[in-house]
Amino acid sequence: LSVSVCLCACVSVYLPAILLLLICNARLCVSRTFACPFPDRPFIALPMAAEELRTTAVEGACKLMISSRISDPQLLSRLLILFFNPTTAEDVRLRQCLSMFFQAFAFSSAHHRINIEACFLPTLRVCVHAPKTSPLREINLAELAEYMLNLTNTAALPETAAARGGAAAEMAAGVHERLGVVLLNEVMSEPDSAEARAFCKALNSLN
């Protein structure tokens, strides 16, 4: 029994990192060369086998996260960036998987909406601080922020989901208040930047 517990603990600790490795470095994994999952990796021109590996890893990550088997804001952030990355626009299977996942993930649990809150600012900062040559710089920050705000909008929840109470539900109900403060702080830090204009536009999506 103790061995099983140890194995389960190891899986819960290392599985998110392994999935990040597969998602961010699919081409390197196919070539049997491994590297760390840097947040600005551009996902450009992957061979077909690597694209399939990445999409399979994404599907596995989505299933594990929606069933609450793993909870990792960094992995969730990576999936959001992958969904908005212009280099994945033609990967229909990947985009459909992520589109369905995010809606189901957000509406199925208050804990999930809290996880989206946790990765909100880190996700935006990855795009803001990406190298100028990275396709991540092409991501519309306002659209990305508005998408995450819509996912955490308790007013948009189905009645069955909204009726679930508990401490997590109460905490999730205040997500937009806290994210509003986050956006305002970012705007005030650099009020004349393009990012500040995008964040001001995103404020309209607060509930």
Side-chain angles (χ1 to χ4, degrees):
L1 180 61
S2 59
V3 174
S4 300
V5 171
C6 290
L7 285 174
C8 290
C10 288
V11 167
S12 64
V13 170
Y14 293 110
L15 187 55
I18 294 170
L19 288 170
L20 271 173
L21 175 65
L22 291 172
I23 292 169
C24 298
N25 296 309
R27 177 166 47 183
L28 297 176
C29 292
V30 168
S31 64
R32 299 182 183 179
T33 304
F34 295 88
C36 294
F38 296 109
D40 60 345
R41 189 160 298 280
F43 307 106
I44 294 177
L46 290 179
M48 184 57 68
E51 283 187 359
E52 293 176 356
L53 174 61
R54 181 184 63 193
T55 302
T56 300
V58 166
E59 290 174 343
C62 290
K63 290 177 181 178
L64 289 168
M65 295 187 77
I66 203 167
S67 61
S68 299
R69 296 297 180 89
I70 59 174
S71 178
D72 188 276
Q74 185 181 5
L75 179 56
L76 184 59
S77 174
R78 172 50 53 192
L79 294 179
L80 282 161
I81 292 172
L82 193 62
F83 184 50
F84 278 83
N85 194 317
T87 64
T88 65
E90 297 182 2
D91 194 333
V92 178
R93 177 184 162 196
L94 177 70
R95 287 291 184 100
Q96 286 182 342
C97 170
L98 289 172
S99 177
M100 295 176 65
F101 162 70
F102 288 125
Q103 295 295 325
F105 180 79
F107 291 161
S108 63
S109 168
H111 290 286
H112 294 168
R113 294 189 291 281
I114 294 171
N115 284 340
I116 295 173
E117 177 190 6
C119 75
F120 181 83
L121 187 57
T123 301
L124 294 174
R125 283 181 172 170
V126 166
C127 299
V128 170
H129 299 300
K132 291 183 178 180
T133 56
S134 171
L136 300 186
R137 293 296 290 267
E138 300 176 24
I139 294 176
N140 188 313
L141 288 177
E143 290 183 1
L144 176 56
E146 288 169 359
Y147 186 76
M148 288 187 282
L149 290 174
N150 288 334
L151 290 177
T152 54
N153 185 0
T154 53
L157 289 175
E159 291 184 6
T160 53
R164 296 170 190 159
E170 292 180 8
M171 185 175 182
V175 165
H176 274 207
E177 294 179 8
R178 296 189 293 272
L179 290 182
V181 174
V182 168
L183 286 171
L184 288 173
N185 286 336
E186 291 298 303
V187 170
M188 292 174 64
S189 64
E190 293 187 58
D192 297 324
S193 65
E195 293 80 21
R197 291 192 292 273
F199 296 155
C200 284
K201 184 178 179 181
L203 288 171
N204 292 323
S205 297
L206 290 172
N207 180 26

